[in-house]
Amino acid sequence: MSRERWNAVDAYTAELLIGADEALDHAVRSSAEAGLPPIAVSPNQGKLLYLLARMHGASSVLELGTLGGYSTIWLARALAHSGRLVTVELDPAYAEVAAANIQRAGLSSVVEQRVGPALDELLRLQAGGAGPFDMTFIDADKKGTPEYFEAALELSRPGSLIITDNVVRDGALIDPDTQDPGVLGMRRFQELLGADRRAGGRVSATTIQTVGSKGYDGFTLALVGG
Ligand SMILES: C[S@@+](CC[C@H](N)C(=O)[O-])C[C@H]1O[C@@H](n2cnc3c(N)ncnc32)[C@H](O)[C@@H]1O
């Protein structure tokens, strides 16, 4: 099955089930015009995040990796009344693009942007007594994922949901010879989850492979508190 086929199926279903969306479409366009890499979640994946947040009744969400704010907008729209979303981005220029997109989407009062390395910001959030967050979306640099997950756990409560993107990496996840730091990060992450399960399980987790316009990759979903 070809990548063109995955793209075509994503386009077909996104047109029917999502359609045009001024704020989201603008976020994609303005991010491209500003030279941001095209690595946001796809529309179908963004809507999955939105639906998961809604099903979960989330009113507080933590996101690592803002980029141009595309997934931020999806998640912020899902929040229950008087909800709050904190999103962290390393690159100040990306955060500026995101700020404009979030404002255009009418979500500035809901979203708090933080600029800096994810781990520093996570520790700052912990020190400031933030959380617990109902849901965390981990989508920053891939090599730091295990550390981000541990820190996100500290900012969670029993019943919180932690979603991590890009865990399968074209199947390289199971390549024993990989030297790719991002893939190695994801292997450490899966192994951390395996060790956690064998030790009784602070979380109950599963990893789902996906194909589509973002290629072949996957998400890990972890429910805190077993
Ligand atoms: C895959 S993109 C995020 C995409 C975004 N969640 C979306 O779907 O619209 C990853 C982002 O993480 C940021 N990033 C990379 N290293 C980081 C770090 N150490 N701390 C925080 N953000 C980081 C990158 O600059 C990039 O914007």
Side-chain angles (χ1 to χ4, degrees):
M1 200 63 62
S2 71
R3 180 148 186 165
E4 290 84 66
R5 190 85 163 172
W6 304 341
N7 280 339
V9 172
D10 256 7
Y12 171 75
T13 53
E15 190 181 339
L16 288 170
L17 278 59
I18 301 172
D21 183 303
E22 206 281 320
L24 287 167
D25 297 344
H26 176 82
V28 172
R29 268 196 319 276
S30 72
S31 297
E33 283 162 14
L36 274 57
I39 52 175
V41 294
S42 69
N44 296 16
Q45 293 173 337
K47 189 151 184 192
L48 173 67
L49 294 173
Y50 164 85
L51 290 171
L52 287 169
R54 281 197 55 190
M55 288 181 225
H56 197 51
S59 61
S60 57
V61 171
L62 172 62
E63 177 183 62
L64 306 179
T66 315
L67 192 66
Y70 184 79
S71 55
T72 315
I73 293 171
W74 272 115
L75 285 165
R77 280 182 178 173
L79 293 180
H81 187 61
S82 75
R84 190 110 193 97
L85 184 149
V86 175
T87 184
V88 180
E89 171 56 48
L90 179 66
D91 190 318
Y94 293 5
E96 230 175 87
V97 173
N101 289 330
I102 291 162
Q103 185 177 28
R104 194 186 173 103
L107 293 164
S108 298
S109 62
V110 175
V111 176
E112 176 188 338
Q113 287 187 257
R114 288 178 167 238
V115 180
L119 200 54
D120 292 1
E121 292 304 322
L122 285 161
L123 296 178
R124 238 173 240 132
L125 285 164
Q126 283 174 21
F133 292 93
D134 298 326
M135 177 170 162
T136 297
F137 179 45
I138 302 178
D139 192 22
D141 63 293
K142 306 306 159 185
K143 67 177 184 311
T145 297
E147 288 70 35
Y148 303 156
F149 183 82
E150 287 288 358
L153 263 182
E154 296 295 318
L155 290 163
S156 297
R157 57 164 174 79
S160 292
L161 178 62
I162 304 177
I163 302 174
T164 304
D165 196 9
N166 305 124
V167 298
V168 174
R169 315 292 283 174
D170 252 324
L173 180 65
I174 58 162
D175 178 355
D177 302 321
T178 187
Q179 298 300 319
D180 181 317
V183 177
L184 289 170
M186 289 309 178
R187 282 175 74 99
R188 282 199 299 125
F189 175 47
Q190 299 298 312
E191 281 158 21
L192 179 163
L193 291 172
D196 180 72
R197 180 186 59 79
R198 292 190 297 276
R202 291 171 297 170
V203 301
S204 179
T206 190
T207 291
I208 295 295
Q209 303 183 76
T210 57
V211 294
S213 58
K214 305 303 295 183
Y216 166 35
D217 215 320
F219 291 98
T220 294
L221 273 70
L223 183 68
V224 179

